[in-house]
Amino acid sequence: MAKVIEGLYYSESHEFVRVEGDFGFIGITDYAQNALGNVVYVDMPDVDDDVEAGEEFGAVESVKAASDLFSPVSGKVVEVNEALEDQPELINQDAFENWIIKVELSDKSELDALMDAKAYAAFCEK
């Protein structure tokens, strides 16, 4: 069973958002990194790029497959996790600690469309 953390928001495409004030830290879930296998590359947007809820913002490549990343929320990218440029495998070590982008949220009501930990755990069991 993949790890699911309370207090985060989850999308059906297996991204999570950790909200801190007006900012959201977006990454892939433990379930997603397990499915991908060894992550070898993370394609991230640039700082100041805008992301839209449901739209592609990058990709994660593993030895098995490449998977597009879809933003669960809209906002402006204020930071990218530069550690992943040299060490993409950090996602495999702890997907929740190693977020991919930090965005300034433009519409917090979008969070209402995402799943909580309990709903996401049930979704993953299907």
Side-chain angles (χ1 to χ4, degrees):
M1 177 68 194
K3 182 166 84 171
V4 177
I5 296 180
E6 289 289 334
L8 302 181
Y9 298 88
Y10 298 89
S11 67
E12 290 188 0
S13 53
H14 304 289
E15 286 86 14
F16 72 85
V17 183
R18 182 178 80 234
V19 176
E20 293 182 9
D22 292 330
F23 298 96
F25 293 84
I26 300 172
I28 65 170
T29 64
D30 192 53
Y31 180 93
Q33 73 82 19
N34 272 331
L36 279 168
N38 293 336
V39 174
V40 294
Y41 179 72
V42 183
D43 180 33
M44 297 177 273
D46 294 322
V47 170
D48 289 334
D49 281 0
D50 289 317
V51 294
E52 293 290 326
E55 299 290 313
E56 188 181 325
F57 73 85
V60 175
E61 294 178 19
S62 71
V63 290
K64 291 198 295 195
S67 182
D68 291 334
L69 297 168
F70 296 94
S71 186
V73 292
S74 301
K76 177 182 276 204
V77 178
V78 294
E79 192 177 340
V80 297
N81 188 345
E82 292 178 357
L84 298 177
E85 291 173 4
D86 296 324
Q87 296 178 285
E89 68 277 5
L90 289 171
I91 288 177
N92 296 120
Q93 293 167 18
D94 190 333
F96 292 113
E97 276 302 308
N98 293 289
W99 50 272
I100 297 170
I101 60 172
K102 177 181 175 182
V103 300
E104 185 171 7
L105 302 170
S106 59
D107 184 358
K108 281 190 171 178
S109 70
E110 290 175 341
L111 297 167
D112 298 338
L114 301 172
M115 293 177 273
D116 64 10
K118 185 176 178 186
Y120 181 70
F123 175 79
C124 290
E125 286 175 13
K126 288 180 183 167

